[in-house]
């Protein structure tokens, strides 16, 4: 069963971005836009992790976090606080109220996903797969090593993140813009054609001889990890 994550955020574009990337990682995601609605939802059902905005209508995120820590059912619930407040005093206040982690907007999506995995690994280790397998390719998130048919594949950090991102959703076509947001982060401004360069490097590293290419180019759309390859071997 996938880990369940509740997003409590009133900015719809950010909510959609977070939901898209978390669901691409395989999580079951719900979202609410008000703090008081979130408190009601959390009394009905407790997820595995909450991503909580500081400033919310109805009830502030900081107050909701404080209340969660007073209830036995949610006192150990992992909470990541999102905020535009970057001052040290505000970070200390958020963590002192009970947040497990504190992320300042604007933030890197890959970094946030890494923080989600780290928190779940500590709180719910059964929900975080450290190994991704597709076809004859194996990717280890902890050691950052990749093997294909028993052969170690040496990848740079960007190519590793790109392969990890694609392997999480076999068959799903990602545009260059989506890959830039998911792999490089929303706050990085680089040309979309940079994606083509790194896909080329990734292909060169993982394909040897007559080995089939697991990365599919969809003309005019983008790239995907070949679903038929993922089911083979």
């Amino acid at each position: 069963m996938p880990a369940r994550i509740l997003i409590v955020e009133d900015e719809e574009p950010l909510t959609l971005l977070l939901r898209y990337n978390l669901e691409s990682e395989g999580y079951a995601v719900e979202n609410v836009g008000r703090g008081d609605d979130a408190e009601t939802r959390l009394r009905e059902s407790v997820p595995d992790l909450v991503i909580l905005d500081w400033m919310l209508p109805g009830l502030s995120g900081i107050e909701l976090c404080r209340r969660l820590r007073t209830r036995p059912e949610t006192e150990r619930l992992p909470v990541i606080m999102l905020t535009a407040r970057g001052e040290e005093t505000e970070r200390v206040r958020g963590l002192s109220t009970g947040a497990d982690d504190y992320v300042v907007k604007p933030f890197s999506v890959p970094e946030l996903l890494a923080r989600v995995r780290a928190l779940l690994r500590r709180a719910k280790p059964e929900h975080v797969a450290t190994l991704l397998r597709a076809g004859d390719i194996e990717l280890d998130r902890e050691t950052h090593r990749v093997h294909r048919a028993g052969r170690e594949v040496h990848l740079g950090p960007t190519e590793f993140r790109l392969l990890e991102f694609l392997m999480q959703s076999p068959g799903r076509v990602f545009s260059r813009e989506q890959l830039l947001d998911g792999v490089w982060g929303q706050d990085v401004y680089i040309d979309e054609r940079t994606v083509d360069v790194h896909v080329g490097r990734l292909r060169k590293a993982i394909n040897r001889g007559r080995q089939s290419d697991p990365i599919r180019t969809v003309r005019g759309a983008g790239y995907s990890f070949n679903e038929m390859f993922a089911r083979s071997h």
Side-chain angles (χ1 to χ4, degrees), residues 19 51 70-71 90 135 142 159-160 176 191 200 213 217:
R19 182 161 193 147
I51 296 176
T70 64
R71 294 176 52 214
E90 299 298 336
E142 286 195 341
E159 285 72 39
F160 181 91
R176 292 176 178 86
D191 190 272
D213 187 354
T217 302

Side-chain angles (χ1 to χ4, degrees), residues 115-157:
R115 290 172 183 251
V116 167
R117 285 196 297 269
L119 268 179
L120 286 173
R121 189 175 295 117
R122 292 200 298 268
K124 304 275 185 177
E126 69 275 13
H127 285 307
V128 182
T130 58
L131 286 177
L132 291 180
R133 293 187 179 91
D136 61 354
I137 297 177
E138 182 179 278
L139 180 147
D140 191 320
R141 285 168 157 163
E142 286 195 341
T143 63
H144 278 243
R145 299 175 74 178
V146 175
H147 290 82
R148 179 168 191 186
R151 171 182 68 88
E152 183 165 6
V153 179
H154 299 282
L155 299 178

